[in-house]
Amino acid sequence: MSGPLFKPLRHLPFWIGLWVLAVLGVVAVCLLPPPPLPPLPENGDKAEHLIAYFLLAASAVQLFRRGRALAAVGLALVAMGVCIEFAQGALTDTRSADPFDALANTVGVAVGLAMAFTPLRDLLLRLQPRRDAERKQ
């Protein structure tokens, strides 16, 4: 693989750290006992799975360059979602494995990665102040 993996963002370590924290947060929320909340409608949690993985993938689009790096991140997120489902069934007494949760995770990743083909793909880059403007000040 040649060329940089990440987009030329200012404060890149901060953004990567924030994304990694989000990934770890999703893992933790999925493996810890669920909080005592009113029950969701049947299969209502699928929207939560889709949104969480959409946000992780769409955030990755902001950080990683298109191509192999972004594809690898997408595959890793899908694998993470599948592994979490296995872990919920094997390692917890308060959660259960659900293949439809893994499917919702995968759809969320796919929709999030599709952001790479929209004008929003460089939103974080566009929010940075231009270097020329900084030099004039």
Side-chain angles (χ1 to χ4, degrees), residues 35-54:
L37 296 172
L40 291 171
E42 187 174 344
N43 293 320
D45 67 317
K46 305 311 177 247
E48 293 174 346
H49 284 265
L50 190 141
I51 291 167
Y53 280 81
F54 163 78

Side-chain angles (χ1 to χ4, degrees), residues 2-80:
S2 64
L5 299 176
F6 296 100
K7 293 180 180 180
L9 295 167
R10 289 184 64 206
H11 314 294
L12 183 60
F14 169 77
W15 294 115
I16 293 170
L18 198 60
W19 184 75
V20 168
L21 280 175
V23 170
L24 292 175
V26 167
V27 171
V29 165
C30 290
L31 293 178
L32 292 174
L37 296 172
L40 291 171
E42 187 174 344
N43 293 320
D45 67 317
K46 305 311 177 247
E48 293 174 346
H49 284 265
L50 190 141
I51 291 167
Y53 280 81
F54 163 78
L55 291 172
L56 292 177
S59 298
V61 167
Q62 296 302 312
L63 297 174
F64 294 90
R65 292 183 183 273
R66 286 196 314 188
R68 289 183 182 175
L70 190 56
V73 169
L75 288 174
L77 288 173
V78 169
M80 181 181 93

